[in-house]
Amino acid sequence: MNLVMFHASAETTRGCLSTDDGWIGALLSAAAKSGKLEFVFVELFHHEDPALEALRNLDSGHGIDTTDGRTYSQAVADGLAETARRLNNLVTRGHLS
């Protein structure tokens, strides 16, 4: 398994990383344990992004505001901090150098 790059993002248009239902931590750990992880990207979509209207129309689970009162800038900053903590913990546990 060659997982050089990992994309940390909750289900498209759902928003904040806290809505990922645990998959980011599980897959990030698996990528780290592969010994190949080099890059991690954090992404957050605005729940009302016009480019994603068709997806919102297709699935009622998309397009929900999950910012919990934060601005999108703060939600992105929180996602970066959360991902940094996960990466630091993986280093501490010996899965990343």
Side-chain angles (χ1 to χ4, degrees), residues 19-91:
T19 67
D20 77 327
D21 297 329
W23 79 267
I24 291 174
L27 291 178
L28 182 58
S29 291
K33 290 174 184 177
S34 77
K36 304 291 183 182
L37 183 63
E38 295 180 32
F39 305 99
V40 177
F41 298 91
V42 175
E43 182 175 37
L44 182 77
F45 289 96
H46 191 288
H47 67 285
E48 293 179 335
D49 186 327
L52 301 169
E53 183 176 0
L55 185 56
R56 288 191 301 275
N57 292 338
L58 181 66
D59 183 342
S60 63
H62 294 282
I64 300 168
D65 182 356
T66 58
T67 58
D68 197 28
R70 297 171 291 174
T71 66
Y72 267 84
S73 294
Q74 185 60 50
V76 170
D78 289 350
L80 290 168
E82 177 184 329
T83 303
R85 280 191 293 277
R86 289 178 186 272
L87 291 168
N88 288 338
N89 286 327
L90 288 164
V91 169

